[in-house]
Structures are given as structure tokens and as C-alpha cells.
Amino acid sequence: MDLLAHSLDAVGNLSLEAAKGTSSKDAVILQVEEVQPAHGFLDLPREIRDHILCLMFLIEGNLCPNRERAGISEYLGLLRTNHQVYSEAVEILYGRNTFQIQSAPAEEAPSLLNLLCSQRRAGFRQSPTGVIVDYNKVCLARHTLRRLYIPSHNIAFERLKHLFSLLKHFPNLEDLRVVYLGVSWMKDMDVAFYCRLLRDRCPWIRNFVLLRRISYTEAEDISWMVGDKPYSNWSIDTSDKSLKHMWRNQNGVLRQAAVVKAPQNLLE
């Protein structure tokens, strides 16, 4: 081993000029590069890091913000490693999962949105110690949240309006799915009106799905009411008993709502 190391050192000390003056039979030029082993997570290529983070933070179905239900709580300590790991992890955690609003108990429904938007505000704030802190460089969660599901269970109309008022703090939210109960005290056009108002205030929400629950497993898709221009007032039409899920607007136009699967899972 010592002889091999000595030989490599000797070869490494050969100059190009000396090699040029040597005949082709005797000249052997070796270029030896030391391979640096990966010492930590950040030494891995970004593609491999993303794959590892997906294995830890991506789940099938909706992610409920509850430590017992989320299924990822054992990995959350990784977010406290350093700023780079945190920024890469939240892109996976908040950017690729569909978060479900917690509706039981009812008063906890806004807790996730309150937490995320209060941790990060635009501009600067003064910390209790008097030091100016740029919170835009501290918490990235509300800027990476892209998919949100608001369930029907236990979400009253006033609470739904409260949730809508918080969504203006999430500028990259792309997909919003809202399910509400089709009951007498939850007026359809009241829900549609506030969905329209939210759509106008948050035009970055590209996919807005509004579902009216009609059973434990099914709902009517009335998303057209949100994007309908000019806005119309729709009501359930029961004039023809042979046709189900029919709606009529103030101009007499009839439209049939598609019935989609919307199982009210236990997380609701």
C-alpha cells in the first residue's frame, strides 16, 4: 500500500513539460481525481433529496392538520434542521398535499389557516426584543399552500365565511374544494354568493369546486354558479318529477347538476 501511494504521488508530480520530452513508449500520464463522499443530506443531488422528502411528507388523500391523523408527525422535526432543508421540505409538504380543514371540534376549523397566515406577513415586523425581523424569510408555509379542502361536516355558514376571509393570505392557492350541506338553514345562493366574492378577490384560485352534499356519499357539483358570468340566481327546480338534480335561474334557464362521489370520511 505504501509503495502504491508513493508511486501515485510520483506520477502526480510529473509535469506536462516533462511528459512531452519523453518518448511515447515510456510516457504514461495519469489524472487522478479524489472523489468526495457525500457526508450529509444536503450533499445529495436535489432530485434525490426531493424523492426522500416525498416519501416522508406526501400522503394519499387529504392531509388533516392533526398530529394523530396526519401520519407525518414523526418527520416534522426535519423542518427545524436549517433554512435550506426547511424551504425544500415545505415545497413538498404544503405544495403537493391537499390539506383538509379540521371540522371537529367546530371551533378548531380556522386554526390551520390562522396559524399559517399569522406566522408570515408581508413586510417587516418588530420582534419583542426590538430587532426588526423579515418574516418573509422565516416562514414559507402560506406561500406554498396550493390545495385546500373544506368539508361539509360541522361547518356552519358563518364559519365558512370566516374561512373564506382568511384565504386572501394564501397567494399561491390554486385548488379549492368546498362541500356544504344542502339543508334548509344553509341557503344555496348565500353560499354561492360568498364563493363568487372569494373568486373575485382571489383570482389566483384556478380550480374552484363547489359541491352541495345530498347524501353521505354523494354531492351535486354546482361549480358553474361560481364562474357564471353574469351571475344568476339559481334555485332547485322540481316541476318535472322525472328529472332530478335540476336547477333553474331567474331567466328560466334549466341546468342539471352532475352527481359526484363525495364520501364523508371520518376525518370530517
Side-chain angles (χ1 to χ4, degrees):
M1 182 65 72
D2 294 339
L3 180 60
L4 177 60
H6 178 72
S7 301
L8 291 176
D9 290 340
V11 171
N13 292 327
L14 288 176
S15 64
L16 185 60
E17 289 76 10
K20 289 180 179 179
T22 309
S23 64
S24 59
K25 293 182 179 179
D26 300 329
V28 178
I29 300 177
L30 297 179
Q31 184 176 358
V32 181
E33 295 183 359
E34 183 180 359
V35 178
Q36 296 292 338
H39 295 293
F41 180 71
L42 292 178
D43 295 314
L44 298 172
R46 177 64 189 269
E47 295 80 6
I48 297 179
R49 296 202 304 270
D50 285 347
H51 182 68
I52 294 173
L53 293 172
C54 286
L55 292 176
M56 289 191 286
F57 292 115
L58 274 186
I59 69 166
E60 294 183 5
N62 300 327
L63 196 158
C64 187
N66 181 293
R67 191 174 292 272
E68 289 74 24
R69 296 171 175 172
I72 61 169
S73 58
E74 58 184 307
Y75 305 120
L76 292 179
L78 186 67
L79 300 179
R80 301 185 180 94
T81 305
N82 58 44
H83 180 75
Q84 182 176 348
V85 173
Y86 170 79
S87 61
E88 293 178 5
V90 295
E91 288 180 13
I92 305 295
L93 175 60
Y94 292 101
R96 302 192 189 182
N97 283 307
T98 299
F99 275 78
Q100 175 174 322
I101 293 297
Q102 182 178 348
S103 58
E107 60 272 10
E108 292 296 324
S111 59
L112 172 68
L113 301 181
N114 279 330
L115 176 64
L116 297 184
C117 67
S118 64
Q119 284 184 336
R120 177 168 177 160
R121 297 286 187 177
F124 292 82
R125 290 191 301 180
Q126 189 164 358
S127 68
T129 59
V131 179
I132 300 298
V133 179
D134 184 1
Y135 279 84
N136 286 328
K137 296 181 179 179
V138 176
C139 181
L140 305 175
R142 78 177 179 92
H143 281 257
T144 52
L145 183 67
R146 285 179 169 80
R147 301 177 182 89
L148 187 66
Y149 170 56
I150 300 179
S152 60
H153 178 67
N154 229 17
I155 302 293
F157 182 56
E158 292 300 321
R159 197 167 303 280
L160 184 63
K161 291 195 296 182
H162 182 197
L163 293 172
F164 283 179
S165 69
L166 296 173
L167 295 182
K168 62 186 177 185
H169 299 296
F170 298 86
N172 292 310
L173 183 65
E174 297 175 352
D175 296 282
L176 178 61
R177 183 182 177 93
V178 178
V179 186
Y180 75 97
L181 286 175
V183 290
S184 58
W185 60 85
M186 185 81 85
K187 295 182 178 180
D188 300 307
M189 290 316 299
D190 286 346
V191 176
F193 171 79
Y194 276 93
C195 288
R196 293 166 177 173
L197 189 62
L198 175 64
R199 185 67 179 266
D200 291 341
R201 290 180 175 177
C202 305
W204 54 83
I205 301 178
R206 296 184 297 180
N207 184 30
F208 199 127
V209 178
L210 178 61
L211 303 177
R212 179 181 183 270
R213 183 172 296 286
I214 57 177
S215 71
Y216 189 81
T217 59
E218 294 181 329
E220 290 180 332
D221 188 345
I222 56 173
S223 303
W224 83 82
M225 295 185 187
V226 182
D228 195 17
K229 293 287 183 70
Y231 292 139
S232 300
N233 292 321
W234 294 87
S235 59
I236 298 175
D237 182 79
T238 57
S239 59
D240 190 342
K241 300 298 182 181
S242 63
L243 297 176
K244 297 182 179 180
H245 314 293
M246 299 299 298
W247 293 75
R248 183 189 297 271
N249 69 5
Q250 74 274 16
N251 299 320
V253 177
L254 286 173
R255 182 156 183 171
Q256 188 173 31
V259 177
V260 298
K261 297 294 183 182
Q264 184 169 294
N265 56 49
L266 295 178
L267 294 184
E268 294 190 14

